[in-house]
Structure formats: structure tokens, C-alpha cells
Amino acid sequence: MSRDIPLEKIRNIGIAAHIDAGKTTTTERILFYSGRLHKLGEVHEGTATMDWMAQEQERGITITSAATTCMWRDARINIIDTPGHVDFTVEVERSMRILDGVVAIFCAKGGVEPQSETVWRQADRYHVPRIAYVNKMDIVGADFFNVLRQLREKLQARALPLQLPIGVEGNFSGVVDLIRQRAIIYEDDLGIRSREAEIPEAMREQAADFRERILETAAEYDDELMEKYFNGKMITAEECYRALRKATIHHALVPVFCGSSYRNKGVQPLLDAVVTLLPSPIDVGAVKGFDFKTGQEDFRLPSVDAPFSALIFKIMVDPFVGKLAFARIYSGRVKRGGVVFNAARKKRQRISRLLRMHANYREEVEEALAGDIIALAGPKEIGTGDTLCHLDKPIVLEAIQFPEPVISVAIEPKTKADQDKMSLSLQHLSEEDPTFHTHTDTETGQTIISGMGELHLEVIVDRLLREFKVQANVGKPQVAYKETIQGRARVEGRFIRQTGGRGQYGHVVIEVAPAEPGKGFIFSNEITGGAIPREFIPAVESGLREAMHNGILAGYPVVDVEVKLLDGSYHPVDSSELAFKIAASQALKKALAEAQPVLLEPIMKVEISVPEDYLGEVLGDFTARRGRIMGTDRKGQLHIIRGIAPLSGLFGYTTDLRSLTQGRGVFNMEFNRYDELPQNIAQKVITRSAIY
């Protein structure tokens, strides 16, 4: 593939929103109007192009981010459709890391919902410019201006509408283009035929007020326009868009559009906005990283002529191709059969195939260039967050941070043949999903799988049984507790063994103390005078890290502990790496016992929507689950309860809430933090783990 499209005409965008706001439906319409599809698929029928997994089609939700590409107004738009369910938020996280712009979709009735806030914060974290699209203007309860207010109040966004809806609910028929001061009326069910008309008489004054705000805002970001505006001169649509584009790219503004994707209204103007207002790779500028050898800050310019650099943001195991690595190419070019350097793994890797993805369909290409999002086949040892770069100009790009799993289940193969298959399948699944962890419980020998929520693990198990053909028994979900300490302790660890001939000798003195929440394990070597030879220090650290995997209270992983190696001794003949590793492990176990160990539990942020009639019962039930109410709001006939609660009290809450509210209550939750488990409950957890 040669660069037939200049870099300034490339748009790498994501479609992100709360579950059921219409992300996949909007993407389906974009592909239809751009000519990529010739027949519309529907999410509720299981025929949407981007929801290609069997689990997505059955549940009517997006589970994994899917990549596709299309052309619009001589620009190439690379699109990533992301999930809206909080259990699959990792897919949004890694997509945000490599995107240049985002279309954030909001339901005209639901407004800014919990997962909307989560994806908005993710976009903030990676400094991704965005435009907002208020979807479902045709449904009962749609309120464009209420969503605008929520964008400003809940997300602190400077939301500027560039369109107004014509009609609402069943009467929604088109949009007013405020910059060009024209109405766009849709005349057929597919949204292909539309006509421009005068703005309806009843809307003219309102449209004029909003247009004046647009001109004021545009003038703020362009000195030439400012002069024109104050002198009363006419400002053209092109001049206005140029200034708004600059403000959008610099995160000073969020342009807002509206429509009904399901009814095929408003999608083409949204595509125009993607091309007109969102940045190209050139607008985003150089990607930052670190020099592979010196660790000094380095960068790569978005240019085909710069040294090659790319970030792997997703791994997928394809039954026909094998492992596929999705990459965003930031600079340079890569050819099929070319050799690149994997800076994370410090090895050369050959790219056997380059594939442009369209959901689960593949188009083979000879070459990929800066600005492309591509799938690579060939490297076997490759993972999410790896940097691929030029052999002679290595660079390490900033990796992606992923949250820790909060829920676990035990899984056992039914036969010996399934045992081998299960191990390989779990390895493939954990390579694909960095928030899915698997380990073997040393006490029971069981395989434990951990994820971000009940639905996450349900989908993983479903894939294991159906896709990988593994027969297995699955236990009930369990909370992923952790252990930490609240005090300090200084202890010695000795490992001495004499068995005739050469023995084993290791001796360490360590001090443990609590670390800041989220810091994990911090190790520092404060040995002076060579009390322990330098070659044994890595073995000491390794022993400490291994001992952190199983705490002394109930065998859960230990987190947020700082360990200092203060002193020790060695034997010139008997000392070995193994001896120091065992001595360090024993010392840490002893230190944890003396440093006031406590259990930690995951706390979830919860938002519950219930009709007023059931408010009292739901509040009482929520507090009985050790929930804490943080506030309540009213949205029409519904009360919105915001609070926090431990994950252990929320298992099966969807069913219980439906029972309490005759099926009318819904809730969302996302991980918030780890907190100390109350002593009485901690004792039950410790007792239960001792029994098992």
C-alpha cells in the first residue's frame, strides 16, 4: 500500500459511551453511508458488523473493541468501536492510548451516565480531543438541552452545540446546522435522501442566539476572526470551522451534534464533523518516549520519513492466522516480511503479514505507514504495550496502565486432555486481555481466574467452553481480597542447611513498612560494606516478590509494602542465590506477621436508578449490603442513588434489585478503591480460607 492519502487526511477516532447509548449502531451507519457496507446490520438482531463475536451477538452488547476503516470526503477514517460495559473498560483504556480523537455518544434520554463519565476521564487522561453526539433524539423522554446541561455540570466540558434538533421524540425529522443557518430534513427511512431548507419559523430566534454564541467562541481562538467579529464583518463557515477546529484540538471546546442513528438521521453531518474538527496525526504532533539505551526522553515525529515506531495496543488470537497484534504506527513505515525491534522484549521480530482489519474480516496489505492502525502477524512473543521500532533507532513508547482484577472463580478441567487444553487456552485469553489474570492456588492446586466483574468472567468462561472447546467445572465468583500491613517491623531471615559436602547459607535483615496505596511492592537495597555480595541482591528481591504472592492471613496477594534490605551475612563457600531467595522469603513472612497485617476488599462506585415508589426499600437494602449513600438526584420519574459498597455485597444484585422494583430498577457499578475489611468479616474470610 502506497500513501495515496496524505497524513493530514487521516483520522484515527474511537466511538465511546455508556452501554446502550448507540455506539455500534452509529458505527454501522457510518460504514453504510461511507460505502463500506451495502446492507445495514442491527445490534438487537445480532447482525451488526462490529459485534462479530458470538457472545456479543447473543447479548446485544460490545465486548471487545473492533477496528475498521472507511473513506469520507477524501479522508480515511480509522474507527475503533469500544465497549460500554464497565467490565470491559480495558478495551476503552487501550484504545484511548492510541487514538487521535473520540466521538463521545450520549443517550438523549439517559444523558451523562456512569460509564460516560468513566470514558470521559479516560479521554482526559490521554488528552484526546472529542466531539459529542446526542443520539436517540427519537425516543420518548429525549431532551437535547438537558444533555447539554449535564455535559457542562457533570463532565465540566465546555459544550458548544453546532446543531439543534428539529422536533423531538416521534416528531424528530432533522437538524439545524447553526453555522450555515440551514435546516437538514431527512425524507426516507434509510437517511440517504435529505434536503436543505429554511430554518423552521418557530426555531429562528433560538437558532440565531446559538449561532451568536458560536461566533463569539470562534473569535476567542482566532485573532483575525476577533477583529472581524468586533467590526461587524461577515464570518464565513470555513473561517468559523477553522477556529473551532483549533479550539477542539487544544481541548478548549467540545462541539455537540445530535441525531438518531437507529432512524438514520444525523450521521452524515457527524461524519463531516469528524473530518472537519478532529485532528490528524500531524495535528497531534510528536509521540513521546524514551531512548532505549540512555533512558533520556525521546520523541518521533508523525512522518513517513521518520524512523519506524509503533505501539501494540491489543492482542487477538485468530483461529486461522494465529496471534494478531494490533498496532498504531506513529512514524516511518513497515513492510510485509520486514524485521523490527521489540524494545520491551529486547529482540528482533519478523513481520510475516500486515492486515487491515474490518471487524473480523482481514485485508492483506504490503506496507503500512505512519498514521495507520494495522494488525501484524508473525511475532509470537509480543504483548499489549510493547513498542516496535527501527533496528538502528530504538525507542520505548509509554506503555498502557491496566486496573487490577477484583473478582475470581475457581475452574477445574473435567479430564486430563482438558487440562492441557485449558492451560493453553487460558494463556491465549490472558494475552488478549491484560485485566484477565490466572494463577494456581498453591494450597488447593486449583486454577483461579480473575477479572473485572461477573459478566467479564462469564464471557471468559463461555469462550473457554465454546471457542476453545474446553470442558470444565466452574465455581462461584469470589471477591479478590488483598492483604497489606499497617505497622513496621524489622526481622532477620536465615536459611542454613548442612547435608555433607557443600551446604546452603543465606542471612538477611529486612525492615517492612506500609507504602502508599496503589504503589504495590517497593524494594530498596541499603546494604553497606558488602555484608551481602551484590550478585545475591537480585535473588533477595526475587524471594521477597514471590513471598508477596501469598499473604499470611488468608493467602491473598500482599500489596503496598515497602521493604528495605538493611544487613545480612554470607558464607564464601555455602552461600548461593537459592539460599538468599529462601532466606528473604522467610524473613518477609515473619515481618508481615509482626507488622499488623490486615485484609483489604474492593469497594465499588454504584449508581442505581429506581422509580419513586421503591426508593425506600432500595435504600434500606443497599445499606444492609454495607453500602454508603453519597447522594441522590431526580431525573424525571426516576431517583438516581449514588453510593459506594463492597463488591462482596453486590453479587447477584441485578436480580435482587429487579425483585424489589418489579423489574424497573437498574444499576451500574465500577471499581473505586481497596479498603480495609471490618474485623468481624475479616475473621470469617480467614477462617473460611483455613478450612479450604
Side-chain angles (χ1 to χ4, degrees):
M1 182 197 80
S2 60
R3 172 68 86 208
D4 52 345
I5 299 164
L7 203 51
E8 59 269 19
K9 292 287 187 181
I10 299 282
R11 299 289 181 274
N12 289 314
I13 68 159
I15 310 288
H18 185 85
I19 190 168
D20 206 31
K23 297 175 300 301
T24 302
T25 301
T26 302
T27 307
E28 196 77 9
R29 269 55 180 175
I30 287 172
L31 296 176
F32 177 73
Y33 295 129
S34 63
R36 185 84 209 209
L37 294 181
H38 301 293
K39 182 188 175 194
L40 283 173
E42 301 296 355
V43 172
H44 61 275
E45 294 173 0
T47 57
T49 306
M50 305 304 279
D51 284 351
W52 57 271
M53 289 173 65
Q55 291 82 1
E56 293 176 316
Q57 292 166 358
E58 289 169 4
R59 289 172 168 82
I61 62 170
T62 302
I63 290 169
T64 181
S65 54
T68 188
T69 185
C70 65
M71 296 294 299
W72 187 258
R73 278 178 33 196
D74 72 1
R76 184 192 294 284
I77 305 175
N78 297 318
I79 303 169
I80 294 182
D81 177 28
T82 65
H85 197 287
V86 67
D87 281 17
F88 309 106
T89 191
V90 62
E91 295 288 342
V92 186
E93 185 80 21
R94 57 182 169 191
S95 299
M96 289 293 181
R97 170 66 179 81
I98 55 91
L99 292 171
D100 297 332
V102 164
V103 176
I105 300 181
F106 300 89
C107 172
K109 180 182 177 182
V112 176
E113 297 171 280
Q115 189 63 6
S116 311
E117 296 185 53
T118 302
V119 299
W120 198 268
R121 287 197 303 271
Q122 288 170 315
D124 281 340
R125 187 155 58 245
Y126 293 109
H127 309 293
V128 186
R130 65 217 79 150
I131 58 179
Y133 174 62
V134 181
N135 190 24
K136 301 191 177 184
M137 284 303 307
D138 61 308
I139 67 171
V140 175
D143 188 339
F144 178 74
F145 299 101
N146 180 50
V147 180
L148 268 183
R149 180 182 58 77
Q150 290 186 28
L151 284 169
R152 291 165 181 154
E153 291 177 3
K154 288 189 175 183
L155 302 180
Q156 306 300 306
R158 188 175 182 186
L160 182 72
L162 302 191
Q163 290 178 346
L164 292 178
I166 299 174
V168 71
E169 299 179 354
N171 297 320
F172 177 65
S173 59
V175 297
V176 172
D177 182 332
L178 291 169
I179 291 180
R180 295 191 303 118
Q181 286 286 282
R182 299 290 289 168
I184 302 169
I185 310 294
Y186 291 91
E187 298 185 315
D188 68 331
D189 290 341
L190 280 177
I192 295 171
R193 288 205 322 273
S194 63
R195 63 181 171 85
E196 286 197 4
E198 295 291 325
I199 297 172
E201 181 72 37
M203 295 183 67
R204 284 182 188 170
E205 187 178 338
Q206 184 189 40
D209 288 344
F210 273 101
R211 187 172 192 275
E212 193 63 26
R213 292 183 210 175
I214 291 171
L215 295 178
E216 281 179 23
T217 307
E220 286 180 37
Y221 298 99
D222 191 299
D223 293 340
E224 194 179 315
L225 282 198
M226 180 76 79
E227 192 175 329
K228 271 189 161 188
Y229 179 72
F230 281 120
N231 290 330
K233 293 182 180 177
M234 191 184 80
I235 295 174
T236 66
E238 288 71 23
E239 290 172 326
C240 192
Y241 276 122
R242 187 183 67 224
L244 295 177
R245 173 182 169 82
K246 187 192 300 183
T248 304
I249 290 172
H250 288 92
H251 314 286
L253 191 66
V254 178
V256 184
F257 300 83
C258 61
S260 169
S261 297
Y262 181 60
R263 300 293 176 198
N264 309 308
K265 295 170 182 172
V267 178
Q268 296 98 321
L270 179 66
L271 270 169
D272 289 339
V274 167
V275 175
T276 306
L277 296 170
L278 288 179
S280 72
I282 290 176
D283 296 313
V284 175
V287 62
K288 291 180 181 177
F290 301 92
D291 185 279
F292 178 73
K293 293 174 182 172
T294 65
Q296 298 285 318
E297 192 172 280
D298 201 355
F299 63 91
R300 289 288 181 271
L301 291 170
S303 166
V304 175
D305 300 320
F308 172 69
S309 68
L311 184 73
I312 304 300
F313 68 94
K314 178 180 169 73
I315 299 292
M316 186 175 90
V317 179
D318 188 293
F320 304 105
V321 183
K323 189 187 287 189
L324 286 179
F326 286 71
R328 161 69 195 268
I329 301 178
Y330 284 100
S331 61
R333 62 181 75 213
V334 62
K335 294 188 176 182
R336 187 171 66 126
V339 177
V340 297
F341 184 67
N342 187 327
R345 296 170 194 264
K346 303 182 176 63
K347 56 173 59 180
R348 294 156 61 103
Q349 294 181 324
R350 181 174 295 279
I351 308 301
S352 58
R353 297 172 72 186
L354 292 169
L355 303 165
R356 191 179 295 287
M357 300 298 289
H358 177 53
N360 62 328
Y361 299 101
R362 301 171 293 274
E363 173 193 343
E364 198 143 347
V365 296
E366 290 296 315
E367 185 180 40
L369 311 174
D372 285 339
I373 292 175
I374 207 84
L376 314 171
K380 289 181 181 172
E381 291 184 51
I382 196 166
T384 302
D386 287 4
T387 299
L388 300 183
C389 51
H390 194 281
L391 290 169
D392 301 325
K393 299 276 180 135
I395 189 173
V396 180
L397 301 178
E398 187 180 346
I400 310 167
Q401 300 299 317
F402 298 111
E404 286 291 311
V406 295
I407 187 170
S408 302
V409 299
I411 185 166
E412 293 178 343
K414 287 186 175 178
T415 67
K416 180 70 175 78
D418 286 318
Q419 172 71 57
D420 299 333
K421 256 202 298 190
M422 190 175 84
S423 298
L424 188 61
S425 303
L426 290 176
Q427 182 186 333
H428 286 325
L429 289 167
S430 58
E431 284 175 352
E432 285 189 9
D433 185 349
T435 59
F436 170 64
H437 293 187
T438 174
H439 73 277
T440 302
D441 189 311
T442 53
E443 301 282 326
T444 64
Q446 285 182 311
T447 299
I448 308 295
I449 60 174
S450 307
M452 299 305 295
E454 289 182 85
L455 180 61
H456 186 201
L457 289 185
E458 190 182 311
V459 169
I460 289 281
V461 170
D462 192 34
R463 288 189 64 193
L464 200 62
L465 303 177
R466 237 198 294 186
E467 196 177 312
F468 293 95
K469 306 288 191 294
V470 175
Q471 295 300 310
N473 297 315
V474 183
K476 289 183 178 178
Q478 302 291 329
V479 176
Y481 294 108
K482 294 187 186 298
E483 299 185 20
T484 191
I485 56 172
Q486 293 183 323
R488 308 173 77 94
R490 177 179 170 133
V491 300
E492 287 187 73
R494 293 179 188 271
F495 181 68
I496 304 171
R497 182 169 293 169
Q498 290 299 136
T499 54
R502 183 176 173 180
Q504 294 284 359
Y505 182 90
H507 170 222
V508 298
V509 179
I510 63 168
E511 182 180 81
V512 299
E516 284 181 44
K519 291 296 184 182
F521 170 72
I522 302 171
F523 172 73
S524 58
N525 174 23
E526 299 190 3
I527 292 281
T528 55
I532 299 176
R534 290 177 62 184
E535 62 265 27
F536 293 135
I537 302 300
V540 172
E541 184 177 355
S542 175
L544 293 170
R545 285 187 184 277
E546 282 189 20
M548 294 275 289
H549 292 164
N550 298 98
I552 53 100
L553 288 177
Y556 291 106
V558 182
V559 295
D560 305 332
V561 173
E562 183 177 358
V563 184
K564 294 177 182 176
L565 177 60
L566 302 177
D567 201 359
S569 62
Y570 74 102
H571 188 280
V573 177
D574 291 350
S575 285
S576 66
E577 289 187 359
L578 179 62
F580 274 102
K581 189 174 179 180
I582 295 171
S585 178
Q586 291 175 345
L588 186 65
K589 295 284 187 189
K590 197 191 302 181
L592 292 176
E594 295 179 14
Q596 301 169 43
V598 293
L599 278 179
L600 301 175
E601 64 176 340
I603 303 296
M604 313 302 284
K605 188 165 78 171
V606 181
E607 186 168 293
I608 310 166
S609 302
V610 292
E612 186 168 6
D613 295 350
Y614 309 101
L615 182 62
E617 287 178 76
V618 170
L619 286 172
D621 178 70
F622 186 68
T623 52
R625 296 168 186 268
R626 294 195 290 130
R628 202 162 83 226
I629 310 296
M630 309 302 287
T632 59
D633 285 324
R634 188 164 186 147
K635 191 186 286 184
Q637 298 299 310
L638 293 175
H639 282 267
I640 311 299
I641 304 164
R642 296 188 315 279
I644 57 172
L647 177 62
S648 59
L650 296 172
F651 285 144
Y653 187 53
T654 301
T655 306
D656 295 344
L657 182 63
R658 284 176 184 157
S659 299
L660 284 172
T661 61
Q662 295 184 2
R664 295 168 65 191
V666 294
F667 93 107
N668 294 280
M669 69 176 179
E670 64 174 295
F671 173 71
N672 183 251
R673 64 179 187 271
Y674 267 91
D675 259 1
E676 185 183 345
L677 193 61
Q679 188 59 43
N680 61 324
I681 301 173
Q683 198 53 54
K684 290 178 185 175
V685 173
I686 293 166
T687 305
R688 190 171 64 235
S689 69
I691 292 170
Y692 289 116

